[in-house]
Short mmCIF file of all heavy atoms in Angstrom, two decimals:
data_model
loop_
_atom_site.label_atom_id
_atom_site.label_comp_id
_atom_site.label_asym_id
_atom_site.label_seq_id
_atom_site.Cartn_x
_atom_site.Cartn_y
_atom_site.Cartn_z
N MET A 1 119.42 112.23 109.97
CA MET A 1 118.23 111.97 110.79
C MET A 1 118.46 110.68 111.61
O MET A 1 118.96 109.70 111.09
CB MET A 1 117.00 111.81 109.89
CG MET A 1 115.72 111.91 110.68
SD MET A 1 114.22 112.30 109.73
CE MET A 1 114.58 111.74 108.09
N ASN A 2 118.09 110.72 112.88
CA ASN A 2 118.28 109.55 113.74
C ASN A 2 116.95 108.94 114.18
O ASN A 2 115.92 109.60 114.20
CB ASN A 2 119.09 109.93 114.98
CG ASN A 2 120.55 110.17 114.64
OD1 ASN A 2 121.08 109.63 113.66
ND2 ASN A 2 121.20 110.98 115.44
N CYS A 3 117.01 107.70 114.58
CA CYS A 3 115.84 106.95 115.03
C CYS A 3 115.26 107.58 116.29
O CYS A 3 115.98 107.88 117.23
CB CYS A 3 116.28 105.51 115.30
SG CYS A 3 115.01 104.49 116.03
N HIS A 4 113.93 107.76 116.31
CA HIS A 4 113.28 108.35 117.49
C HIS A 4 113.19 107.34 118.63
O HIS A 4 112.92 107.69 119.77
CB HIS A 4 111.88 108.85 117.12
CG HIS A 4 110.95 107.75 116.65
ND1 HIS A 4 110.17 107.04 117.51
CD2 HIS A 4 110.73 107.24 115.41
CE1 HIS A 4 109.50 106.13 116.81
NE2 HIS A 4 109.82 106.22 115.55
N ASN A 5 113.43 106.08 118.31
CA ASN A 5 113.30 105.02 119.30
C ASN A 5 114.61 104.78 120.05
O ASN A 5 114.64 104.76 121.29
CB ASN A 5 112.83 103.74 118.60
CG ASN A 5 112.44 102.64 119.57
OD1 ASN A 5 111.82 102.91 120.59
ND2 ASN A 5 112.81 101.43 119.26
N CYS A 6 115.72 104.63 119.32
CA CYS A 6 116.99 104.27 119.94
C CYS A 6 118.11 105.24 119.61
O CYS A 6 119.20 105.12 120.14
CB CYS A 6 117.38 102.85 119.56
SG CYS A 6 117.94 102.70 117.85
N GLY A 7 117.86 106.21 118.70
CA GLY A 7 118.90 107.16 118.32
C GLY A 7 119.87 106.62 117.29
O GLY A 7 120.86 107.26 116.98
N GLY A 8 119.56 105.46 116.75
CA GLY A 8 120.43 104.85 115.75
C GLY A 8 120.36 105.54 114.41
O GLY A 8 119.57 106.46 114.20
N GLN A 9 121.18 105.08 113.49
CA GLN A 9 121.27 105.68 112.17
C GLN A 9 120.14 105.19 111.27
O GLN A 9 119.89 103.99 111.17
CB GLN A 9 122.63 105.31 111.55
CG GLN A 9 123.00 106.13 110.34
CD GLN A 9 123.25 107.59 110.69
OE1 GLN A 9 123.83 107.89 111.73
NE2 GLN A 9 122.81 108.49 109.84
N LEU A 10 119.45 106.14 110.63
CA LEU A 10 118.39 105.76 109.69
C LEU A 10 118.95 105.67 108.28
O LEU A 10 119.79 106.47 107.88
CB LEU A 10 117.25 106.78 109.73
CG LEU A 10 116.46 106.88 111.02
CD1 LEU A 10 115.40 107.97 110.89
CD2 LEU A 10 115.81 105.57 111.39
N GLU A 11 118.47 104.71 107.54
CA GLU A 11 118.91 104.55 106.16
C GLU A 11 117.69 104.42 105.27
O GLU A 11 116.71 103.77 105.64
CB GLU A 11 119.76 103.30 106.05
CG GLU A 11 120.45 103.16 104.70
CD GLU A 11 121.37 101.95 104.68
OE1 GLU A 11 122.34 101.94 105.46
OE2 GLU A 11 121.10 101.03 103.90
N LYS A 12 117.76 105.07 104.08
CA LYS A 12 116.62 105.02 103.17
C LYS A 12 116.57 103.66 102.49
O LYS A 12 117.52 103.25 101.84
CB LYS A 12 116.74 106.13 102.13
CG LYS A 12 115.42 106.45 101.47
CD LYS A 12 115.40 107.86 100.89
CE LYS A 12 113.97 108.27 100.57
NZ LYS A 12 113.86 109.69 100.25
N VAL A 13 115.44 102.97 102.67
CA VAL A 13 115.27 101.67 102.03
C VAL A 13 113.89 101.62 101.39
O VAL A 13 113.01 102.41 101.73
CB VAL A 13 115.40 100.50 103.05
CG1 VAL A 13 116.81 100.41 103.61
CG2 VAL A 13 114.38 100.62 104.16
N ALA A 14 113.71 100.69 100.48
CA ALA A 14 112.39 100.46 99.88
C ALA A 14 111.83 99.17 100.47
O ALA A 14 112.50 98.15 100.50
CB ALA A 14 112.50 100.35 98.37
N THR A 15 110.61 99.27 100.98
CA THR A 15 110.02 98.10 101.62
C THR A 15 108.56 97.96 101.23
O THR A 15 107.97 98.87 100.66
CB THR A 15 110.21 98.21 103.16
OG1 THR A 15 109.83 96.98 103.75
CG2 THR A 15 109.38 99.34 103.74
N ASP A 16 107.98 96.82 101.54
CA ASP A 16 106.56 96.59 101.28
C ASP A 16 105.81 96.71 102.60
O ASP A 16 106.14 96.01 103.55
CB ASP A 16 106.33 95.18 100.71
CG ASP A 16 107.15 94.94 99.46
OD1 ASP A 16 107.58 95.91 98.84
OD2 ASP A 16 107.34 93.76 99.13
N LEU A 17 104.79 97.57 102.64
CA LEU A 17 104.07 97.77 103.89
C LEU A 17 102.56 97.61 103.71
O LEU A 17 102.00 98.10 102.73
CB LEU A 17 104.34 99.17 104.45
CG LEU A 17 105.69 99.44 105.10
CD1 LEU A 17 105.69 100.88 105.61
CD2 LEU A 17 105.96 98.49 106.25
N PRO A 18 101.89 96.96 104.66
CA PRO A 18 100.44 96.85 104.60
C PRO A 18 99.76 98.02 105.30
O PRO A 18 100.22 98.49 106.34
CB PRO A 18 100.18 95.54 105.36
CG PRO A 18 101.32 95.40 106.31
CD PRO A 18 102.47 96.20 105.78
N PHE A 19 98.69 98.52 104.68
CA PHE A 19 97.89 99.58 105.30
C PHE A 19 96.45 99.09 105.42
O PHE A 19 95.87 98.65 104.43
CB PHE A 19 97.91 100.85 104.44
CG PHE A 19 99.25 101.52 104.40
CD1 PHE A 19 100.19 101.15 103.45
CD2 PHE A 19 99.59 102.48 105.33
CE1 PHE A 19 101.44 101.74 103.42
CE2 PHE A 19 100.83 103.09 105.30
CZ PHE A 19 101.76 102.71 104.35
N LYS A 20 95.92 99.18 106.62
CA LYS A 20 94.55 98.75 106.84
C LYS A 20 93.63 99.93 106.55
O LYS A 20 93.72 100.97 107.19
CB LYS A 20 94.41 98.32 108.30
CG LYS A 20 93.25 97.42 108.55
CD LYS A 20 93.37 96.78 109.93
CE LYS A 20 92.20 95.87 110.17
NZ LYS A 20 92.28 95.19 111.46
N ILE A 21 92.76 99.80 105.55
CA ILE A 21 91.89 100.93 105.21
C ILE A 21 90.48 100.74 105.74
O ILE A 21 89.73 101.69 105.85
CB ILE A 21 91.87 101.22 103.69
CG1 ILE A 21 91.50 99.97 102.89
CG2 ILE A 21 93.20 101.78 103.24
CD1 ILE A 21 91.26 100.27 101.43
N LYS A 22 90.12 99.52 106.06
CA LYS A 22 88.83 99.21 106.68
C LYS A 22 89.07 97.98 107.55
O LYS A 22 90.10 97.35 107.44
CB LYS A 22 87.77 98.87 105.63
CG LYS A 22 87.06 100.06 105.06
CD LYS A 22 85.77 99.66 104.34
CE LYS A 22 85.80 98.28 103.71
NZ LYS A 22 84.62 97.98 102.89
N SER A 23 88.10 97.60 108.37
CA SER A 23 88.29 96.45 109.25
C SER A 23 88.61 95.18 108.47
O SER A 23 89.32 94.31 108.94
CB SER A 23 87.07 96.24 110.13
OG SER A 23 85.93 96.05 109.34
N ASP A 24 88.08 95.07 107.25
CA ASP A 24 88.31 93.85 106.48
C ASP A 24 88.99 94.12 105.14
O ASP A 24 88.84 93.38 104.20
CB ASP A 24 86.98 93.12 106.25
CG ASP A 24 85.97 94.03 105.57
OD1 ASP A 24 86.26 95.22 105.40
OD2 ASP A 24 84.89 93.54 105.21
N SER A 25 89.72 95.21 105.08
CA SER A 25 90.33 95.60 103.82
C SER A 25 91.77 96.08 104.04
O SER A 25 92.01 96.99 104.82
CB SER A 25 89.49 96.70 103.18
OG SER A 25 89.89 96.92 101.86
N ILE A 26 92.71 95.43 103.35
CA ILE A 26 94.12 95.76 103.52
C ILE A 26 94.75 96.06 102.17
O ILE A 26 94.50 95.38 101.18
CB ILE A 26 94.87 94.60 104.22
CG1 ILE A 26 94.45 94.53 105.69
CG2 ILE A 26 96.39 94.79 104.12
CD1 ILE A 26 94.99 93.32 106.41
N VAL A 27 95.54 97.12 102.13
CA VAL A 27 96.28 97.46 100.93
C VAL A 27 97.77 97.29 101.22
O VAL A 27 98.27 97.81 102.21
CB VAL A 27 96.00 98.91 100.49
CG1 VAL A 27 96.82 99.27 99.26
CG2 VAL A 27 94.53 99.11 100.21
N ILE A 28 98.45 96.56 100.36
CA ILE A 28 99.90 96.44 100.50
C ILE A 28 100.55 97.33 99.46
O ILE A 28 100.24 97.23 98.27
CB ILE A 28 100.35 94.97 100.33
CG1 ILE A 28 99.80 94.13 101.49
CG2 ILE A 28 101.88 94.89 100.30
CD1 ILE A 28 99.99 92.64 101.32
N ILE A 29 101.38 98.24 99.90
CA ILE A 29 102.10 99.09 98.96
C ILE A 29 103.54 98.61 98.89
O ILE A 29 104.25 98.56 99.88
CB ILE A 29 102.01 100.57 99.36
CG1 ILE A 29 100.54 100.99 99.41
CG2 ILE A 29 102.80 101.43 98.38
CD1 ILE A 29 100.33 102.45 99.68
N LYS A 30 103.94 98.25 97.66
CA LYS A 30 105.27 97.72 97.45
C LYS A 30 106.26 98.81 97.12
O LYS A 30 105.90 99.86 96.61
CB LYS A 30 105.24 96.68 96.32
CG LYS A 30 104.25 95.56 96.59
CD LYS A 30 104.42 94.42 95.62
CE LYS A 30 105.54 93.52 96.11
NZ LYS A 30 105.63 92.28 95.31
N LYS A 31 107.50 98.54 97.45
CA LYS A 31 108.63 99.45 97.15
C LYS A 31 108.41 100.85 97.73
O LYS A 31 108.73 101.86 97.10
CB LYS A 31 108.86 99.54 95.64
CG LYS A 31 109.19 98.20 95.02
CD LYS A 31 109.79 98.41 93.64
CE LYS A 31 110.05 97.10 92.92
NZ LYS A 31 108.90 96.62 92.13
N LEU A 32 107.86 100.90 98.92
CA LEU A 32 107.65 102.17 99.60
C LEU A 32 108.97 102.67 100.17
O LEU A 32 109.65 101.94 100.89
CB LEU A 32 106.64 101.95 100.72
CG LEU A 32 106.05 103.19 101.39
CD1 LEU A 32 105.13 103.92 100.42
CD2 LEU A 32 105.27 102.79 102.62
N PRO A 33 109.36 103.91 99.85
CA PRO A 33 110.61 104.43 100.41
C PRO A 33 110.42 104.88 101.86
O PRO A 33 109.61 105.75 102.14
CB PRO A 33 110.96 105.62 99.50
CG PRO A 33 109.68 106.00 98.85
CD PRO A 33 108.72 104.84 98.94
N VAL A 34 111.13 104.26 102.78
CA VAL A 34 111.05 104.64 104.20
C VAL A 34 112.46 104.82 104.75
O VAL A 34 113.44 104.39 104.16
CB VAL A 34 110.33 103.54 105.05
CG1 VAL A 34 108.91 103.32 104.56
CG2 VAL A 34 111.10 102.23 105.04
N GLN A 35 112.54 105.49 105.90
CA GLN A 35 113.80 105.60 106.62
C GLN A 35 113.79 104.51 107.68
O GLN A 35 112.96 104.54 108.59
CB GLN A 35 113.92 106.97 107.30
CG GLN A 35 113.80 108.16 106.37
CD GLN A 35 115.10 108.50 105.68
OE1 GLN A 35 116.15 107.95 106.01
NE2 GLN A 35 115.05 109.40 104.73
N GLN A 36 114.69 103.54 107.56
CA GLN A 36 114.69 102.44 108.52
C GLN A 36 115.93 102.46 109.38
O GLN A 36 117.04 102.68 108.91
CB GLN A 36 114.57 101.10 107.80
CG GLN A 36 114.39 99.95 108.79
CD GLN A 36 113.93 98.67 108.12
OE1 GLN A 36 114.46 98.29 107.10
NE2 GLN A 36 112.94 98.02 108.70
N CYS A 37 115.72 102.21 110.67
CA CYS A 37 116.82 102.19 111.63
C CYS A 37 117.66 100.92 111.43
O CYS A 37 117.12 99.82 111.35
CB CYS A 37 116.26 102.23 113.05
SG CYS A 37 117.54 102.18 114.31
N GLN A 38 118.98 101.11 111.39
CA GLN A 38 119.87 99.96 111.21
C GLN A 38 120.06 99.20 112.51
O GLN A 38 120.58 98.10 112.55
CB GLN A 38 121.24 100.45 110.69
CG GLN A 38 121.17 101.15 109.36
CD GLN A 38 120.50 100.27 108.31
OE1 GLN A 38 121.05 99.26 107.91
NE2 GLN A 38 119.31 100.65 107.88
N ASN A 39 119.63 99.80 113.60
CA ASN A 39 119.85 99.21 114.93
C ASN A 39 118.64 98.42 115.43
O ASN A 39 118.77 97.28 115.84
CB ASN A 39 120.21 100.34 115.90
CG ASN A 39 120.67 99.82 117.24
OD1 ASN A 39 121.41 98.84 117.31
ND2 ASN A 39 120.23 100.45 118.30
N CYS A 40 117.43 99.02 115.35
CA CYS A 40 116.27 98.35 115.94
C CYS A 40 115.16 98.06 114.93
O CYS A 40 114.11 97.54 115.29
CB CYS A 40 115.70 99.20 117.09
SG CYS A 40 114.89 100.71 116.57
N ASN A 41 115.40 98.42 113.65
CA ASN A 41 114.43 98.15 112.58
C ASN A 41 113.16 98.98 112.65
O ASN A 41 112.22 98.73 111.89
CB ASN A 41 114.07 96.66 112.50
CG ASN A 41 115.17 95.86 111.84
OD1 ASN A 41 115.95 96.42 111.06
ND2 ASN A 41 115.26 94.60 112.16
N GLU A 42 113.11 99.94 113.55
CA GLU A 42 112.01 100.90 113.57
C GLU A 42 112.06 101.70 112.27
O GLU A 42 113.14 101.97 111.75
CB GLU A 42 112.22 101.86 114.76
CG GLU A 42 111.11 102.83 115.01
CD GLU A 42 109.97 102.23 115.82
OE1 GLU A 42 110.11 101.09 116.29
OE2 GLU A 42 108.96 102.92 115.97
N TYR A 43 110.90 102.02 111.70
CA TYR A 43 110.97 102.82 110.49
C TYR A 43 110.10 104.07 110.57
O TYR A 43 109.21 104.18 111.39
CB TYR A 43 110.59 102.00 109.25
CG TYR A 43 109.19 101.44 109.28
CD1 TYR A 43 108.11 102.23 108.92
CD2 TYR A 43 108.97 100.13 109.68
CE1 TYR A 43 106.84 101.73 108.96
CE2 TYR A 43 107.68 99.62 109.73
CZ TYR A 43 106.62 100.42 109.36
OH TYR A 43 105.36 99.93 109.41
N LEU A 44 110.42 105.00 109.71
CA LEU A 44 109.78 106.29 109.71
C LEU A 44 109.39 106.61 108.27
O LEU A 44 110.19 106.42 107.36
CB LEU A 44 110.82 107.30 110.21
CG LEU A 44 110.43 108.71 110.51
CD1 LEU A 44 110.69 108.93 112.00
CD2 LEU A 44 111.30 109.67 109.74
N ILE A 45 108.16 107.08 108.08
CA ILE A 45 107.70 107.44 106.75
C ILE A 45 107.69 108.96 106.65
O ILE A 45 107.07 109.63 107.48
CB ILE A 45 106.30 106.86 106.45
CG1 ILE A 45 106.32 105.33 106.60
CG2 ILE A 45 105.83 107.27 105.07
CD1 ILE A 45 104.96 104.67 106.46
N GLU A 46 108.36 109.50 105.65
CA GLU A 46 108.42 110.95 105.50
C GLU A 46 107.05 111.51 105.09
O GLU A 46 106.26 110.82 104.45
CB GLU A 46 109.45 111.32 104.42
CG GLU A 46 110.88 111.15 104.90
CD GLU A 46 111.86 111.14 103.74
OE1 GLU A 46 112.04 110.08 103.13
OE2 GLU A 46 112.41 112.20 103.45
N ASP A 47 106.80 112.78 105.46
CA ASP A 47 105.50 113.41 105.19
C ASP A 47 105.14 113.37 103.71
O ASP A 47 104.00 113.09 103.35
CB ASP A 47 105.52 114.86 105.67
CG ASP A 47 105.44 114.95 107.18
OD1 ASP A 47 105.14 113.91 107.82
OD2 ASP A 47 105.67 116.03 107.73
N SER A 48 106.13 113.65 102.83
CA SER A 48 105.85 113.69 101.40
C SER A 48 105.46 112.30 100.88
O SER A 48 104.61 112.17 100.00
CB SER A 48 107.07 114.22 100.63
OG SER A 48 108.19 113.40 100.90
N VAL A 49 106.08 111.27 101.46
CA VAL A 49 105.75 109.90 101.07
C VAL A 49 104.36 109.54 101.58
O VAL A 49 103.54 108.95 100.88
CB VAL A 49 106.81 108.91 101.62
CG1 VAL A 49 106.40 107.47 101.36
CG2 VAL A 49 108.17 109.20 101.01
N MET A 50 104.06 109.95 102.81
CA MET A 50 102.77 109.66 103.43
C MET A 50 101.63 110.31 102.64
O MET A 50 100.56 109.73 102.50
CB MET A 50 102.80 110.16 104.88
CG MET A 50 101.85 109.42 105.80
SD MET A 50 102.13 107.63 105.86
CE MET A 50 100.44 107.06 105.85
N GLU A 51 101.89 111.53 102.11
CA GLU A 51 100.88 112.21 101.29
C GLU A 51 100.54 111.39 100.05
O GLU A 51 99.38 111.26 99.68
CB GLU A 51 101.42 113.58 100.84
CG GLU A 51 100.94 114.71 101.71
CD GLU A 51 101.63 116.02 101.33
OE1 GLU A 51 101.67 116.34 100.13
OE2 GLU A 51 102.12 116.71 102.24
N LYS A 52 101.59 110.85 99.43
CA LYS A 52 101.37 110.06 98.23
C LYS A 52 100.65 108.75 98.59
O LYS A 52 99.79 108.29 97.83
CB LYS A 52 102.70 109.77 97.52
CG LYS A 52 102.50 109.23 96.14
CD LYS A 52 103.76 109.21 95.31
CE LYS A 52 103.52 108.41 94.03
NZ LYS A 52 104.73 108.23 93.23
N VAL A 53 100.98 108.19 99.74
CA VAL A 53 100.31 106.98 100.21
C VAL A 53 98.81 107.27 100.39
O VAL A 53 97.96 106.49 99.96
CB VAL A 53 100.92 106.47 101.54
CG1 VAL A 53 100.04 105.42 102.19
CG2 VAL A 53 102.31 105.89 101.28
N ASP A 54 98.50 108.42 101.00
CA ASP A 54 97.10 108.80 101.18
C ASP A 54 96.37 108.88 99.84
O ASP A 54 95.24 108.42 99.70
CB ASP A 54 97.00 110.16 101.88
CG ASP A 54 97.17 110.03 103.39
OD1 ASP A 54 97.01 108.89 103.91
OD2 ASP A 54 97.46 111.04 104.04
N ASN A 55 97.05 109.47 98.84
CA ASN A 55 96.46 109.57 97.50
C ASN A 55 96.20 108.20 96.92
O ASN A 55 95.15 107.95 96.31
CB ASN A 55 97.40 110.34 96.55
CG ASN A 55 97.35 111.83 96.82
OD1 ASN A 55 96.38 112.33 97.37
ND2 ASN A 55 98.40 112.53 96.44
N ILE A 56 97.17 107.30 97.09
CA ILE A 56 97.02 105.94 96.56
C ILE A 56 95.85 105.25 97.26
O ILE A 56 95.00 104.64 96.61
CB ILE A 56 98.33 105.14 96.75
CG1 ILE A 56 99.45 105.72 95.89
CG2 ILE A 56 98.11 103.66 96.42
CD1 ILE A 56 100.84 105.15 96.18
N LEU A 57 95.79 105.39 98.58
CA LEU A 57 94.73 104.70 99.35
C LEU A 57 93.34 105.24 99.00
O LEU A 57 92.37 104.50 99.03
CB LEU A 57 95.00 104.83 100.85
CG LEU A 57 96.26 104.12 101.36
CD1 LEU A 57 96.39 104.30 102.87
CD2 LEU A 57 96.29 102.65 101.00
N ASN A 58 93.27 106.54 98.67
CA ASN A 58 91.98 107.13 98.31
C ASN A 58 91.43 106.58 97.01
O ASN A 58 90.23 106.60 96.78
CB ASN A 58 92.13 108.66 98.20
CG ASN A 58 92.14 109.31 99.56
OD1 ASN A 58 91.66 108.73 100.53
ND2 ASN A 58 92.70 110.51 99.65
N LYS A 59 92.34 106.11 96.14
CA LYS A 59 91.91 105.64 94.81
C LYS A 59 91.65 104.14 94.79
O LYS A 59 91.24 103.60 93.77
CB LYS A 59 93.00 105.98 93.78
CG LYS A 59 93.01 107.44 93.40
CD LYS A 59 94.06 107.68 92.32
CE LYS A 59 94.73 109.03 92.50
NZ LYS A 59 96.13 109.00 92.13
N VAL A 60 91.92 103.49 95.92
CA VAL A 60 91.81 102.04 95.97
C VAL A 60 90.34 101.60 95.95
O VAL A 60 89.47 102.30 96.46
CB VAL A 60 92.51 101.53 97.25
CG1 VAL A 60 92.06 100.15 97.64
CG2 VAL A 60 94.00 101.58 97.08
N ASP A 61 90.12 100.46 95.33
CA ASP A 61 88.80 99.84 95.35
C ASP A 61 88.54 99.30 96.76
O ASP A 61 89.13 98.31 97.16
CB ASP A 61 88.77 98.70 94.32
CG ASP A 61 87.45 97.95 94.37
OD1 ASP A 61 86.54 98.37 95.11
OD2 ASP A 61 87.35 96.93 93.67
N LYS A 62 87.66 99.97 97.50
CA LYS A 62 87.48 99.63 98.92
C LYS A 62 86.61 98.39 99.15
O LYS A 62 86.38 97.99 100.27
CB LYS A 62 86.93 100.83 99.68
CG LYS A 62 87.94 101.96 99.78
CD LYS A 62 87.44 103.11 100.63
CE LYS A 62 88.51 104.19 100.78
NZ LYS A 62 88.91 104.83 99.51
N THR A 63 86.13 97.81 98.06
CA THR A 63 85.37 96.58 98.23
C THR A 63 86.29 95.36 98.19
O THR A 63 85.89 94.27 98.57
CB THR A 63 84.31 96.43 97.12
OG1 THR A 63 84.97 96.40 95.86
CG2 THR A 63 83.32 97.58 97.17
N ALA A 64 87.53 95.57 97.75
CA ALA A 64 88.49 94.46 97.70
C ALA A 64 89.05 94.19 99.09
O ALA A 64 89.33 95.12 99.85
CB ALA A 64 89.63 94.78 96.74
N GLU A 65 89.20 92.92 99.45
CA GLU A 65 89.74 92.58 100.76
C GLU A 65 91.24 92.81 100.83
O GLU A 65 91.80 93.16 101.85
CB GLU A 65 89.44 91.11 101.10
CG GLU A 65 88.02 90.93 101.59
CD GLU A 65 87.75 89.48 101.97
OE1 GLU A 65 88.71 88.79 102.34
OE2 GLU A 65 86.59 89.08 101.92
N LEU A 66 91.88 92.58 99.68
CA LEU A 66 93.33 92.74 99.63
C LEU A 66 93.73 93.31 98.28
O LEU A 66 93.34 92.81 97.24
CB LEU A 66 94.02 91.38 99.83
CG LEU A 66 95.55 91.39 99.73
CD1 LEU A 66 96.16 92.18 100.89
CD2 LEU A 66 96.08 89.98 99.74
N GLU A 67 94.48 94.39 98.34
CA GLU A 67 94.94 95.02 97.11
C GLU A 67 96.44 95.21 97.23
O GLU A 67 96.94 95.61 98.28
CB GLU A 67 94.24 96.37 96.97
CG GLU A 67 94.45 97.05 95.63
CD GLU A 67 93.23 96.92 94.71
OE1 GLU A 67 92.11 96.85 95.23
OE2 GLU A 67 93.44 96.87 93.50
N ILE A 68 97.16 94.90 96.18
CA ILE A 68 98.61 95.07 96.20
C ILE A 68 98.98 96.08 95.12
O ILE A 68 98.69 95.90 93.95
CB ILE A 68 99.36 93.74 95.99
CG1 ILE A 68 98.95 92.75 97.09
CG2 ILE A 68 100.87 93.96 96.00
CD1 ILE A 68 99.44 91.34 96.87
N LEU A 69 99.60 97.17 95.56
CA LEU A 69 99.94 98.24 94.64
C LEU A 69 101.44 98.56 94.75
O LEU A 69 102.07 98.26 95.76
CB LEU A 69 99.13 99.50 94.98
CG LEU A 69 97.61 99.38 94.89
CD1 LEU A 69 96.96 100.55 95.59
CD2 LEU A 69 97.17 99.33 93.45
N SER A 70 101.94 99.20 93.74
CA SER A 70 103.33 99.63 93.77
C SER A 70 103.38 101.13 94.02
O SER A 70 102.60 101.88 93.47
CB SER A 70 104.00 99.28 92.44
OG SER A 70 105.34 99.63 92.50
N TYR A 71 104.31 101.55 94.88
CA TYR A 71 104.44 102.97 95.17
C TYR A 71 104.93 103.74 93.95
O TYR A 71 104.47 104.83 93.66
CB TYR A 71 105.41 103.18 96.34
CG TYR A 71 105.65 104.63 96.67
CD1 TYR A 71 104.75 105.32 97.48
CD2 TYR A 71 106.78 105.28 96.20
CE1 TYR A 71 104.97 106.65 97.79
CE2 TYR A 71 107.00 106.61 96.51
CZ TYR A 71 106.10 107.29 97.29
OH TYR A 71 106.32 108.59 97.59
N ALA A 72 105.87 103.13 93.25
CA ALA A 72 106.49 103.79 92.11
C ALA A 72 105.63 103.67 90.87
O ALA A 72 105.71 102.70 90.14
CB ALA A 72 107.86 103.18 91.85
N VAL A 73 104.75 104.65 90.67
CA VAL A 73 103.91 104.64 89.46
C VAL A 73 104.06 105.92 88.67
O VAL A 73 104.42 106.93 89.22
CB VAL A 73 102.40 104.43 89.79
CG1 VAL A 73 102.13 102.95 90.04
CG2 VAL A 73 101.97 105.26 90.96
ZN1 LIG B 101 116.26 102.50 116.30
#
């Protein structure tokens, strides 16, 4: 799979990414597996990973301003 931005090589890495679930509420998911471009650092989240992210975000306490969760549970 190649980068949609520059055509570079994508590599599977684990990274920490913030997701905004409300205007004043952010969830950081740690160790999220993404495909990251070695050339321009653009990243791509696979559909199966995104589905699990959606599940995680649905279970989050939405009254918290900041929540830090691990993807690998
Ligand atoms: Zn790229």
Side-chain angles (χ1 to χ4, degrees):
M1 195 160 25
N2 287 334
C3 174
H4 62 89
N5 190 40
C6 73
Q9 194 66 39
L10 294 179
E11 189 176 297
K12 200 157 194 169
V13 294
T15 189
D16 304 340
L17 285 182
F19 292 88
K20 201 167 180 178
I21 54 171
K22 274 197 330 187
S23 58
D24 56 354
S25 191
I26 289 173
V27 178
I28 294 171
I29 301 185
K30 304 191 83 172
K31 300 196 185 88
L32 192 69
V34 300
Q35 303 277 351
Q36 187 166 45
C37 179
Q38 299 304 293
N39 189 41
C40 71
N41 283 335
E42 185 83 6
Y43 61 81
L44 189 118
I45 302 174
E46 286 164 277
D47 286 348
S48 58
V49 174
M50 206 57 221
E51 262 173 48
K52 193 168 169 186
V53 167
D54 279 342
N55 284 338
I56 293 170
L57 295 181
N58 281 338
K59 284 183 216 145
V60 160
D61 176 5
K62 292 185 176 63
T63 60
E65 281 182 27
L66 177 67
E67 189 103 31
I68 301 171
L69 299 165
S70 183
Y71 178 82
V73 280

